[in-house]
Amino acid sequence: MNNQPVHVAIAILYQKNKFLMQLRDNIPGILYPGYWALFGGHIEPGETPEVAVKREILEEIGYILPPFFEFGYYPSERLVRHVFHAPLLVELNQLVLNEGWDMGLLTPEDIHQGNCYSQKAGEVRPLGSVHQRIMLDFMETNQQA
């Protein structure tokens, strides 16, 4: 059995002091079902994190990443998260949600309180704890808190 952690590439996409996040499908068995999280996914064999984040964002929301930057590296026992950041240069209605239950531009207040209302879910849903920590780190680093 392979006990190596899975590597994923995720993106912090920001626009006018708001942050694009995905409400993950509410399906048992996936990581953070029904939680708000950052867009991204698994790094395929032979892929770099930079190539993976561009591919994942294009697959998940149809967005071609503009120039982007590495933000951080968040290892845990099961997952290693390679985190990048870039501006979101299009309006939300120009994105096509191909994966997930909903998406939205969350405010710093939403991130601090750890939850946000979803129109599609019809209720307030929590942020994934690791994703909230990453976002709080990013806002603190970039004085956007």
Side-chain angles (χ1 to χ4, degrees):
M1 182 173 186
N2 185 357
N3 290 327
Q4 294 297 317
V6 173
H7 286 254
V8 298
I10 57 180
I12 298 168
L13 300 173
Y14 47 86
Q15 182 179 85
K16 299 176 188 163
N17 202 32
K18 291 183 180 178
F19 304 93
L20 183 67
M21 296 189 85
Q22 170 197 52
L23 183 59
R24 293 178 55 78
D25 288 313
N26 200 10
I27 301 170
I30 67 169
L31 200 57
Y32 293 114
Y35 283 73
W36 290 102
L38 295 165
F39 283 97
H42 291 86
I43 298 172
E44 300 294 335
E47 251 183 350
T48 64
E50 293 80 6
V51 168
V53 75
K54 289 195 301 192
R55 176 185 51 77
E56 286 287 344
I57 298 304
L58 185 60
E59 288 175 2
E60 292 182 357
I61 56 175
Y63 183 57
I64 298 171
L65 277 179
F68 60 95
F69 304 93
E70 186 174 5
F71 172 66
Y73 180 77
Y74 287 77
S76 70
E77 195 174 302
R78 292 177 42 208
L79 275 177
V80 176
R81 293 173 179 89
H82 301 263
V83 184
F84 299 91
H85 68 94
L88 180 62
L89 302 174
V90 300
E91 296 302 316
L92 198 57
N93 64 6
Q94 293 178 269
L95 302 174
V96 177
L97 184 64
N98 295 313
E99 191 173 308
W101 190 2
D102 198 0
M103 67 178 161
L105 288 167
L106 278 65
T107 66
E109 294 76 27
D110 296 328
I111 293 161
H112 279 286
Q113 69 188 21
N115 59 51
C116 184
Y117 180 77
S118 162
Q119 187 81 28
K120 288 187 182 173
E123 63 186 5
V124 173
R125 302 297 305 180
L127 267 72
S129 58
V130 173
H131 294 262
Q132 182 184 25
R133 181 168 51 99
I134 291 168
M135 291 304 306
L136 291 171
D137 288 351
F138 182 79
M139 290 187 304
E140 182 179 313
T141 300
N142 293 280
Q143 288 80 42
Q144 295 185 29

